[in-house]
């Protein structure tokens, strides 16, 4: 009876949490459409001023929606990574996707201007396309080194190695082409300033696909919390399920990084925040983590635009500062209580 009552209570709490996160998303979306170098006046003048309409419709709204979608992708990836590796400190970049995306972006920037052929080829793919190719390539390389997904520890170590090696290659590209250093700094610090409607469409499609796959395979994450032997004894096909979860995590992370650069701590902090509010199965945890990541990144993006207006802070710097402070506080609280993260 107590177990049934507790389940009903947690389900209601999860529903309320989702409702509050959706409400916060709507409020932040209105704020995102209003915050900018021209202030709230652009929203008031939309009907009679074509410049104000262009500012809100072509710049602020896609940026706001893009920040929400990128945060949702990172939150989903973080929830999958922490469940897959059974490690609360796992983040979406563990498989080397961040280093691969940075390398792909650096190579694309370095090739600009080298020859008309290179420029024409890059014009078709774009820097964001190269960043996505680099992220996907890094994950594939990690899987090859780990010889599949059957050994979680081997997969984790392979991801760390791939990340270090690709990071070193990116440094070599930057040394060979020092004129790209400023652009690469903007990429590694993260920004939503260049997100347009097409990027929003791509992220929305990726989020839809990854959400469906992760939700369908969430039973594997629930089983892994009991241990691999127990999960296998329950009849779960762990290898194909792991492969699907890794694919969803890689697609979500690669898409977000390609469009917004390297934004730290959102994928790590969002699942922690959800667990501090409600304990549910991974089916609901993934959904709530996606919503939490979306709210976190959108709020950070609005703060980054507002704090030093009309100048902007890199949103990745803000998320790293806020997320790092939160995790330090959480570590201190759990240590003082004799618990773990």
């Amino acid at each position: 009876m107590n177990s049934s009552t507790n389940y009903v209570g947690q389900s209601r709490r999860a529903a309320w949490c989702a409702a509050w996160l959706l409400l916060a998303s709507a409020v932040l979306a209105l704020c995102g459409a209003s915050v900018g170098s021209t202030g709230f006046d652009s929203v008031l003048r939309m009907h009679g001023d074509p410049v104000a309409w262009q500012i809100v419709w072509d710049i602020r709204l896609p940026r706001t929606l893009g920040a929400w979608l990128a945060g949702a992708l990172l939150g989903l990836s973080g929830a999958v990574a922490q469940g897959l590796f059974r490690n609360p400190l796992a983040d979406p970049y563990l498989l080397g996707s961040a280093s691969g995306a940075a390398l792909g972006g650096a190579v694309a920037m370095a090739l600009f201007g080298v020859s008309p052929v290179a420029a024409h080829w890059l014009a078709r793919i774009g820097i964001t396309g190269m960043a996505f190719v680099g992220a996907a390539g890094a994950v594939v390389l990690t899987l090859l080194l780990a010889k599949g997904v059957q050994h979680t520890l081997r997969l984790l170590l392979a991801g760390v190695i791939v990340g270090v090696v690709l990071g070193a290659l990116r440094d070599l590209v930057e040394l060979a082409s020092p004129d790209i250093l400023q652009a690469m700094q903007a990429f590694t610090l993260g920004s939503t300033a260049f997100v347009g409607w097409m990027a929003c469409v791509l992220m929305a499609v990726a989020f839809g696909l990854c959400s469906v796959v992760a939700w369908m395979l969430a039973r594997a994450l629930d089983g892994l919390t009991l241990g691999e032997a127990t999960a296998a004894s329950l009849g779960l096909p762990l290898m194909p399920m792991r492969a699907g979860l890794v694919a969803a995590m890689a697609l979500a992370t690669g898409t977000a990084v390609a469009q917004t650069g390297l934004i730290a701590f959102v994928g790590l902090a969002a699942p922690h925040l959800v667990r501090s509010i409600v304990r549910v199965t991974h089916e609901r945890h993934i959904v709530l983590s996606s919503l939490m990541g979306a709210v976190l990144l959108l709020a950070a993006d609005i703060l980054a635009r507002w704090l030093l207006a009309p100048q902007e802070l890199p949103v990745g710097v803000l998320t790293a500062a806020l997320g790092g402070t939160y995790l330090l506080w959480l570590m201190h609280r759990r240590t003082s209580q004799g618990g773990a993260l």
Side-chain angles (χ1 to χ4, degrees):
M1 186 70 180
N2 289 335
S3 175
S4 175
T5 304
N6 184 53
Y7 177 79
V8 172
Q10 292 291 349
S11 298
R12 288 179 179 175
R13 196 168 184 179
W16 276 108
C17 181
W20 278 108
L21 289 172
L22 289 172
L23 179 61
S25 298
V27 173
L28 289 171
L30 292 176
C31 294
S34 306
V35 174
S37 58
T38 58
F40 189 69
D41 292 343
S42 295
V43 178
L44 297 177
R45 301 197 314 266
M46 279 182 65
H47 295 291
D49 189 346
V51 176
W53 172 269
Q54 187 175 17
I55 289 173
V56 175
W57 180 257
D58 292 335
I59 299 176
R60 292 185 185 176
L61 286 179
R63 177 173 183 172
T64 299
L65 179 59
W68 193 93
L69 288 168
L73 287 168
L74 292 174
L76 182 149
S77 298
V80 171
Q82 291 177 15
L84 190 63
F85 293 107
R86 288 178 290 166
N87 188 337
L89 294 178
D91 76 347
Y93 302 149
L94 274 179
L95 298 184
S97 55
S99 298
L103 176 61
V107 169
M109 293 176 195
L111 288 177
F112 269 124
V114 172
S115 69
V117 176
H120 179 71
W121 175 67
L122 284 173
R124 290 172 175 257
I125 298 180
I127 294 175
T128 55
M130 282 291 290
F132 179 80
V133 169
V139 174
V140 171
L141 182 58
T142 298
L143 293 174
L144 289 175
L145 286 177
K147 297 181 179 179
V149 296
Q150 60 267 39
H151 298 293
T152 307
L153 181 59
R154 186 188 297 171
L155 188 64
L156 179 61
L157 293 175
V160 172
I161 294 169
V162 168
V164 171
V165 172
L166 295 186
L169 292 177
R170 186 201 72 189
D171 292 338
L172 290 176
V173 172
E174 291 178 351
L175 287 173
S177 304
D179 54 316
I180 70 170
L181 286 175
Q182 187 173 1
M184 282 304 301
Q185 183 183 36
F187 183 86
T188 54
L189 292 178
S191 175
T192 60
F194 305 105
V195 174
W197 286 116
M198 183 54 67
C200 290
V201 171
L202 291 174
M203 285 192 285
V205 171
F207 178 61
L209 289 174
C210 295
S211 297
V212 171
V213 172
W215 187 80
M216 291 176 62
L217 300 178
R219 287 186 306 146
L221 299 177
D222 291 333
L224 286 173
T225 59
L226 305 173
E228 295 198 17
T230 305
S233 68
L234 294 174
L236 295 175
L238 289 183
M239 234 171 81
M241 281 184 157
R242 272 186 184 145
L245 289 168
V246 168
M249 183 173 68
L251 177 60
T253 307
T255 304
V257 170
Q259 301 298 334
T260 61
L262 305 182
I263 296 177
F265 277 104
V266 172
L268 180 60
H272 275 286
L273 284 170
V274 171
R275 278 194 295 270
S276 68
I277 298 171
V278 61
R279 296 277 181 169
V280 289
T281 61
H282 278 88
E283 286 183 350
R284 297 180 182 181
H285 181 69
I286 287 171
V287 175
L288 293 175
S289 296
S290 299
L291 293 175
M292 183 66 76
V295 168
L296 287 177
L297 185 51
L298 182 51
D301 183 59
I302 293 171
L303 279 176
R305 286 188 260 168
W306 174 73
L307 286 176
L308 297 179
Q311 295 181 345
E312 290 186 18
L313 281 172
V315 68
V317 173
L318 200 57
T319 57
L322 296 177
T325 303
Y326 165 73
L327 288 177
L328 285 174
W329 171 80
L330 182 65
M331 183 181 298
H332 172 73
R333 191 185 71 169
R334 295 294 176 87
T335 304
S336 63
Q337 294 175 353
L341 281 176

